[in-house]
Amino acid sequence: MVFEDKMIMNGEPEEEEEEEEEEDMVDPLEVVREKCAQSEHCVHARERLEACESRVGSRSETTEDCTEELFDFLHARDHCVAHKVFQSVK
């Protein structure tokens, strides 16, 4: 037998039950973020971010980072989310 199978829980709820409940719950913010990331403006910002990441990753010595591109993408996505997220909240 495995050691974990022999453990006594001392009145605590089993972890498996908690994990199953957590899997059923879906954060509406994450759902809206995924949808907004697929919008036209966000796709353009993501393409710029990915181009920057590949450019920086291909160089061995560079001081460039992709902070501006990351912030542009996050701003575009969050702007979209701000208009949609409260529709799903009661």
Side-chain angles (χ1 to χ4, degrees), residues 1-9:
M1 276 190 148
V2 179
F3 177 73
E4 289 87 21
D5 291 340
K6 294 182 179 181
M7 291 178 48
I8 298 175
M9 299 305 291

Side-chain angles (χ1 to χ4, degrees), residues 7-70:
M7 291 178 48
I8 298 175
M9 299 305 291
N10 295 327
E12 296 177 10
E14 293 183 14
E15 291 182 25
E16 292 178 17
E17 290 178 14
E18 290 178 12
E19 290 177 11
E20 288 177 10
E21 290 175 10
E22 290 177 8
E23 290 175 11
D24 295 338
M25 296 176 60
V26 177
D27 186 3
L29 180 60
E30 293 299 320
V31 173
V32 174
R33 279 183 177 165
E34 289 175 15
K35 288 180 182 177
C36 284
Q38 303 303 320
S39 70
E40 182 180 345
H41 187 68
C42 291
V43 168
H44 177 69
R46 180 184 290 271
E47 288 172 354
R48 288 184 48 223
L49 175 60
E50 290 172 355
C52 178
E53 288 175 344
S54 64
R55 183 175 61 248
V56 169
S58 67
R59 297 179 183 165
S60 60
E61 293 182 26
T62 183
T63 59
E64 181 183 15
D65 60 7
C66 300
T67 304
E68 180 180 355
E69 289 82 359
L70 175 62

